[in-house]
Structures are given as structure tokens and as C-alpha cells.
Amino acid sequence: MAGSRSLSSGLRALQPEAFGADPSGERMARIRRSPYFKDGVFQNPGGPSRTRPSGSPLDFAKKYFDKEDRARRSPKGAVPVHATTLADLAKPPATGLRLTWMGHSSVLAEIDGQRVLFDPVWGERCSPFAFAGPKRLHPVPVPLAALGPVDVVVISHDHYDHLDMPTIKALAGTDTLFAVPLGVGAHLEHWGVSAERLRELEWHETTRVGGLTLTATPARHFCGRGLRNTQHTLWASWVVAGDEHRIFHSGDTGYFEGFQDIGADYGPFDATMIQLGAYSEFWPDIHMTPDEGMRAHLDLQGGEPGGVLLPIHWGTFNLAPHAWAEPGEWTKDAAEQAGQAAAFPRPGEPFEPAEKLPVDPWWRAVSAPLPHAWRRPTGAVTAPHGRG
């Protein structure tokens, strides 16, 4: 047994630092007490979900390595990144709420005098290795140091495209707080974030940061960074509410009826940041299509158009078989069909949801032709209501 423990310790020592650390001690005891932890793993709302590709591996390989499909999965030119400066971000939002999409799921939200940074990924690859793994399709719009002070960093789950070790290490040298799902704090402590700066929550728990209330809410996804997916860290969507505004960040999630409950309990929202990229019929339970993302937004708003939808989790990394520009194009059509206001900023472009929205389909100039357009019902299209 002693030899086995020694071998196990040796293997852990060889693991990349980016694998992070498994929960232990009181953190693990708290996980075991969680009502969402059963049979040794965290459970998804709505029952079991498929966290690995379903269907035939051969069918997946044919689609993933098809020459024409592969060409569509990357932009054919330079992505037009917005030239945001420190001065732009230093000026307070006139309406009290401003969002800056930095690409993928990274968003800087300035809300009621506080600054919240969601899922910051400034690394070149979403991978534990510097030499392999999905690489950025556009540069980081704003250097991390140019963001200015951040009151709280919010992490949705521990996958590499949402929890980036180099970014966390850089932020560990500031005095920002970190709000994370239960168990994820083990990774951050491993990378130098002190326990005093962690706010580690399970679903429906809240914490206060300045004048904001942050609530971890359910999502339908999974976790894991190392060789084994132990399901010992939770995944979450997040509600952030101030005195005047409230916003929602979905993290990664498949569509589930729980969006209606989140909307009823915490909504409606001035803006939602909804994951609707990296979807596939091979993993339908854990990521949303543009149509599902629109359904989620409407559920969060009580079933009717309202607020502003900001599509996230697309455009920055190639993580699925669909065309690179498809999430943007299809979401624009879905918004028109639903009569829902939606924002389509270039990476790094700040906007205020209560003002004129960025709606230019900028991706078309650098996209290969899409294999098929949005299949909307004939005669169902209505003009977008509201701003923009």
C-alpha cells in the first residue's frame, strides 16, 4: 500500500500545473454534504446528461475531418477586434450598466458602480499545454492590465476555456475577489489565490460584493481538467444584482426547463449573456444552439421578449464541428424571429444595453459561406423591437 501511495504521489507530481488540484479536507466534506452531490458526483438538473460525444465515433470523425466543414470552422480573414482603450473603460457607464465582450465567454460587466469579470481567458490556448490545444482565432482585445481594477472575478466552471491558469495567476496578484462554484476554489488556491479572497458557492447560495448580490444558479453541464473527470467540482450560471440593474451569465449549459425557475426567482434581467456556441448533435445535453439560447433568454424574462441578449461562447476558439460564423448569423435571425433585442459587438467593443446596440453582422466579412441559412418558418419573421 505504501508503494502504491508513493506511485500515486509521483504521478501527481508529473501532472501539468494547469490541471489544478482536487478538492480535499473541509472543502470535500462540504461537497459531500451538498444536496446536488449524489453517488460520488455532482448531478445535473433534470436528470442524467451525456457529457461525452454520443452516436457513432465514425460519424463524428467524418463530420469533424470533412475538408469543407473544416474550412468553415475558422475565419478566412482577421477578426475585426475593437480598439478599446483604458480610457474607454475608465469612463463610468452613463446608464449604470455596460458590457464588454472580450471573446468566448469572457465579459467585463460594469454594473451599478462595481466591476465584474466573467470567465476571464487571456491565454493563447484553452489547454493545459502551451504547445497544443485550441488556439485563439483573434487576439485578446484589451491587455489584462488595461482593464483597470476589478471588484470580483466570477468563474462558471473549471474547463480550460473558462478557467485559464495564466489569467488567474495574473489576477492573483491584485486584490480582486473570486466567486466560484463549490470545489473550484481548490484550483485557485493551488495557483496562489488566498482562501480569504474566495467566495465558493453551491446553487442558490449568494454572496455580497460591494453593493452587488451574486447568486450561483443551476446549469446543465459537467467539470474536469485532468485525466480523470471526477465530477467533484460544481458548474453554475450566475445572477448579479445591483441596486438598479440585474444581469445573468449562463456559463456553459444545455437547455433545461430550470431557466424558467431562475427567471421567476431572480429575473427579469437587463441583459443576459447566453452560451450558444460549440454545440453539436453529438453532445446536445451540455451546450445550446442559437435557437435554444433564445429560448433560454425568453424563459429568463418570464416568457416574453425583454432586456438584451448578448451571445457568448463563440468566435474565439474552434471547439465544435459547426461553422465559425454560424452562432452569430443564426442568433441574429432567431432574435428577429422572436422580436428580441440582441447585441453583436465586435470583441472588445463596450456597449450599454439601455442605449443603441451594436447590431452590425461584422462576421460576414471574414466568414466562409455558411452551408445553410437559418431555417426559420415562412412568414414568422418580425422586426426586432426595442433598441438598436
Side-chain angles (χ1 to χ4, degrees):
M1 291 296 290
S4 175
R5 285 195 300 270
S6 176
L7 177 61
S8 177
S9 299
L11 289 174
R12 281 197 299 272
L14 293 173
Q15 290 182 167
E17 186 183 12
F19 278 10
D22 291 331
S24 61
E26 177 51 35
R27 179 177 278 118
M28 193 65 214
R30 187 180 166 202
I31 288 170
R32 292 193 179 101
R33 293 193 299 267
S34 170
Y36 311 109
F37 191 77
K38 183 180 179 183
D39 298 328
V41 295
F42 278 111
Q43 304 290 322
N44 264 314
S49 60
R50 292 162 289 181
T51 60
R52 297 187 182 280
S54 59
S56 163
L58 180 60
D59 289 343
F60 177 76
K62 285 180 179 178
K63 181 160 184 67
Y64 197 81
F65 293 105
D66 178 85
K67 185 176 181 180
E68 290 187 7
D69 282 350
R70 288 182 68 186
R72 295 188 184 102
R73 291 203 297 271
S74 297
K76 65 178 184 179
V79 175
V81 174
H82 188 76
T84 303
T85 66
L86 176 59
D88 295 327
L89 297 177
K91 182 181 178 181
T95 63
L97 176 62
R98 180 168 60 205
L99 302 178
T100 306
W101 178 54
M102 299 296 178
H104 203 57
S105 294
S106 303
V107 182
L108 175 66
E110 297 165 274
I111 172 172
D112 297 344
Q114 307 286 304
R115 307 178 93 233
V116 183
L117 185 58
F118 291 98
D119 284 357
V121 174
W122 260 249
E124 189 65 17
R125 297 181 186 271
C126 49
S127 166
F129 307 107
F131 56 86
K135 190 176 182 180
R136 283 187 165 275
L137 300 175
H138 65 78
V140 175
V142 183
L144 195 59
L147 288 184
V150 172
D151 295 292
V152 58
V153 172
V154 176
I155 303 296
S156 63
H157 64 296
D158 71 358
H159 285 159
Y160 290 98
D161 56 325
H162 297 259
L163 179 61
D164 179 55
M165 182 187 72
T167 306
I168 297 299
K169 282 192 161 189
L171 290 167
T174 70
D175 59 0
T176 187
L177 301 176
F178 293 82
V180 303
L182 181 56
V184 174
H187 298 310
L188 272 64
E189 287 191 34
H190 186 63
W191 299 330
V193 177
S194 65
E196 296 77 35
R197 292 165 58 197
L198 289 173
R199 307 291 183 267
E200 201 162 346
L201 309 181
E202 57 186 322
W203 294 338
H204 302 294
E205 288 187 335
T206 65
T207 188
R208 292 280 294 178
V209 175
L212 301 179
T213 299
L214 286 73
T215 306
T217 45
R220 187 170 175 82
H221 200 57
F222 67 112
C223 67
R225 293 180 71 87
L227 300 177
R228 296 180 299 117
N229 182 10
T230 59
Q231 297 292 77
H232 283 171
T233 67
L234 191 57
W235 47 95
S237 56
W238 287 87
V239 170
V240 177
D243 292 336
E244 301 293 334
H245 297 91
R246 57 183 60 222
I247 56 178
F248 175 85
H249 189 285
S250 72
D252 273 2
T253 180
Y255 177 80
F256 68 112
E257 293 183 356
F259 287 116
Q260 298 174 27
D261 297 327
I262 295 171
D265 292 341
Y266 305 105
F269 300 95
D270 297 281
T272 68
M273 295 154 272
I274 300 291
Q275 174 269 307
L276 38 69
Y279 48 81
S280 171
E281 68 266 25
F282 292 99
W283 49 82
D285 296 343
I286 55 173
H287 281 204
M288 292 192 289
T289 65
D291 189 36
E292 291 170 326
M294 182 58 63
R295 286 173 61 194
H297 173 87
L298 296 175
D299 286 352
L300 291 161
Q301 301 296 76
E304 299 290 336
V308 172
L309 165 65
L310 171 62
I312 60 172
H313 203 263
W314 75 285
T316 304
F317 298 106
N318 182 347
L319 301 175
H322 63 67
W324 170 77
E326 193 175 274
E329 191 69 30
W330 284 15
T331 302
K332 194 169 182 65
D333 273 341
E336 292 176 359
Q337 180 177 319
Q340 170 60 51
F344 298 94
R346 291 164 175 78
E349 181 179 4
F351 72 95
E352 300 192 32
E355 296 186 338
K356 184 176 177 64
L357 300 178
V359 296
D360 176 53
W362 51 267
W363 53 86
R364 291 176 183 170
V366 292
S367 169
L370 295 180
H372 51 81
W374 177 260
R375 295 182 292 271
R376 63 175 87 153
T378 303
V381 179
T382 58
H385 82 115
R387 316 164 192 79

